[in-house]
């Protein structure tokens, strides 16, 4: 197996540098190729980064006049977008020499993607705990709060990611939604979920089911219900779609039943969905792990406060 190249650049603000390999081509200089390859970066900014020595190969920085060499590897740090600070902490639930389990708040993405880069759980945890190799074994979407398992060293990442891939982790969620007494008896929902590239929301269509969730109303009061949700599969927005299909959309859901755009700095009325528990056998030690989220859902504790709050409350 080919050995992975080690980056000559260190992380910056908890982020790894980007690595590119130069393909076969007609370019005379590396500068010409970068101007064509990075259309979202202005030519002036590329030239500025070249002058500053910010494009680096295994032998050191390259310049604007460096001849083009197919197969050469380059590393550089992207310019980061402006992001509003997500003003909520990330409590640590458990830590040993291999794993870190945290309670991710609402409004914080798990990993860098799109407009969310530094304000993500991964980057903030790397910086806060000095863990440069930290990586997630699975993900929660930005709107969902609750337990996320991170792996501290790259060498152990595959073992824990395989647990989730092979569905050897028992995950239980809680949600607050309109109460439906018919769901006091647990219901299993199966449907075919489709998420098209470039679209925000997923949808269901006719065809063989590719998703399954068990949903049960645990208790109700004043028209609201506290539900237990146990997914057997892990499709995008699966629990949110299945609750919507049952006629009890989760409180605060900006996608289902109706897509509602919210500014990135709007932290009001968070989605009332919580990754409540994780249970699994440690693949490296054989230990039985059972973790429970230390915080609940605000709409159940105080619905008026959830309606008015600008914080996630969980």
């Amino acid at each position: 197996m080919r050995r992975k190249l080690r980056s000559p650049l260190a992380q910056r603000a908890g982020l790894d540098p980007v690595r590119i390999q130069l393909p076969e081509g007609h370019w005379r200089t590396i500068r010409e190729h970068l101007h064509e390859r990075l259309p979202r970066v202005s030519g002036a900014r590329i030239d500025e980064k070249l002058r500053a020595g910010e494009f680096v190969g295994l032998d050191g920085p390259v310049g604007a006049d460096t001849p083009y060499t197919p197969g050469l590897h380059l590393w550089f740090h992207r310019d980061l977008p402006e992001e509003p600070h997500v003003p909520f902490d990330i409590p640590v639930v458990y830590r040993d020499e291999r794993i870190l389990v945290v309670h991710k708040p609402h409004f914080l993405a798990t990993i860098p993607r799109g407009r969310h880069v530094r304000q993500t759980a991964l980057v903030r945890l790397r910086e806060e705990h000095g863990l440069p190799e930290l990586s997630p074994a699975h993900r929660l979407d930005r709107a969902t709060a609750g337990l996320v398992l991170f792996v501290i060293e790259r060498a152990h990442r595959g073992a824990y990611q395989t647990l989730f891939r092979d569905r050897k982790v028992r995950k239980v969620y809680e949600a607050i939604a309109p109460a439906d007494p018919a769901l006091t008896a647990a219901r299993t929902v199966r449907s075919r979920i489709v998420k098209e590239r470039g679209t925000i929301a997923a949808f269901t269509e006719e065809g063989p089911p590719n998703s399954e969730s068990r949903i049960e109303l645990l208790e109700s009061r004043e028209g609201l219900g506290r539900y237990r949700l146990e997914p057997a599969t892990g499709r995008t927005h699966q629990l949110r779609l299945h609750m919507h299909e049952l006629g009890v959309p989760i409180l605060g859901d900006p996608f289902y039943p109706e897509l509602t755009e919210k500014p990135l700095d709007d932290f009001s009325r968070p989605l009332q969905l919580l990754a409540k528990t994780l249970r699994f056998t440690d693949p490296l030690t054989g230990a039985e792990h059972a973790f429970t989220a230390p915080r609940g859902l605000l709409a159940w504790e105080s619905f008026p406060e959830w309606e008015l709050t600008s914080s996630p409350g969980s």
Side-chain angles (χ1 to χ4, degrees):
M1 185 172 62
R2 183 177 299 178
R3 186 176 180 182
K4 185 177 180 180
L5 294 176
R6 182 178 292 275
S7 171
L9 293 178
Q11 286 183 352
R12 178 187 295 174
L15 290 164
D16 294 319
V18 177
R19 178 173 67 90
I20 60 175
Q21 185 175 16
L22 306 187
E24 294 290 337
H26 59 279
W27 303 276
R28 293 184 302 108
T29 64
I30 288 178
R31 175 181 180 273
E32 288 182 4
H33 174 69
L34 293 175
H35 275 247
E36 186 174 322
R37 182 164 183 165
L38 305 175
R40 294 185 180 181
V41 184
S42 71
R45 180 60 181 143
I46 290 173
D47 291 345
E48 182 181 354
K49 291 172 78 71
L50 283 166
R51 287 193 298 271
E54 294 187 24
F55 289 97
V56 178
L58 290 173
D59 297 325
V62 300
D65 297 328
T66 301
Y68 187 83
T69 305
L72 184 71
H73 290 86
L74 293 179
W75 288 262
F76 67 98
H77 285 284
R78 294 188 189 276
D79 293 332
L80 301 181
E82 291 292 328
E83 299 177 74
H85 176 64
V86 179
F88 314 116
D89 63 349
I90 314 175
V92 172
V93 176
Y94 175 83
R95 178 176 176 177
D96 61 26
E97 64 271 24
R98 291 169 300 277
I99 61 174
L100 177 73
V101 180
V102 303
H103 182 108
K104 186 190 79 64
H106 298 285
F107 303 110
L108 190 69
T110 302
I111 62 171
R113 186 175 183 182
R115 296 177 294 174
H116 310 287
V117 181
R118 292 196 68 179
Q119 288 302 303
T120 58
L122 175 62
V123 174
R124 282 177 48 173
L125 289 167
R126 280 178 173 178
E127 289 192 282
E128 290 172 13
H129 298 279
L131 298 172
E133 294 188 7
L134 192 72
S135 59
H138 64 120
R139 304 175 192 175
L140 290 182
D141 64 29
R142 178 174 177 264
T144 304
L147 298 177
V148 182
L149 169 65
F150 289 86
V151 185
I152 292 175
E153 296 182 0
R154 292 190 185 97
H156 300 144
R157 178 172 55 192
Y160 291 96
Q161 289 179 335
T162 299
L163 281 179
F164 288 87
R165 184 198 67 192
D166 294 345
R167 301 176 187 172
K168 293 182 178 179
V169 178
R170 186 175 182 185
K171 297 180 285 185
V172 176
Y173 291 71
E174 282 194 3
I176 309 303
D180 182 353
L183 295 173
T184 302
R187 181 88 57 88
T188 297
V189 182
R190 299 182 182 90
S191 65
R192 183 169 187 81
I193 294 177
V194 178
K195 173 69 165 62
E196 295 179 343
R197 189 170 185 177
T199 61
I200 297 176
F203 60 92
T204 58
E205 66 176 16
E206 295 296 326
N210 60 7
S211 64
E212 179 180 322
S213 306
R214 186 177 185 273
I215 295 172
E216 178 183 7
L217 177 64
L218 298 178
E219 56 181 322
S220 61
R221 63 179 183 229
E222 299 178 355
L224 287 181
R226 184 171 69 90
Y227 290 84
R228 173 189 172 97
L229 296 76
E230 191 164 355
T233 55
R235 294 288 171 177
T236 299
H237 297 172
Q238 174 178 316
L239 296 176
R240 296 160 68 173
L241 267 171
H242 283 173
M243 291 288 283
H244 167 50
E245 289 174 358
L246 290 173
V248 286
I250 300 172
L251 264 62
D253 195 333
F255 292 174
Y256 313 101
E258 187 175 326
L259 181 62
T260 304
E261 291 284 350
K262 291 180 67 173
L264 292 183
D265 59 354
D266 182 351
F267 303 119
S268 64
R269 297 191 179 188
L271 175 72
Q272 293 299 279
L273 179 61
L274 173 70
K276 181 73 172 180
T277 66
L278 288 176
R279 295 177 181 271
F280 61 92
T281 301
D282 193 296
L284 300 180
T285 68
E288 296 295 329
H289 289 301
F291 303 114
T292 300
R295 299 175 178 175
L297 289 165
L298 182 61
W300 189 250
E301 298 166 2
S302 173
F303 182 77
E305 187 177 349
W306 173 80
E307 281 194 301
L308 297 173
T309 190
S310 60
S311 71
S314 63

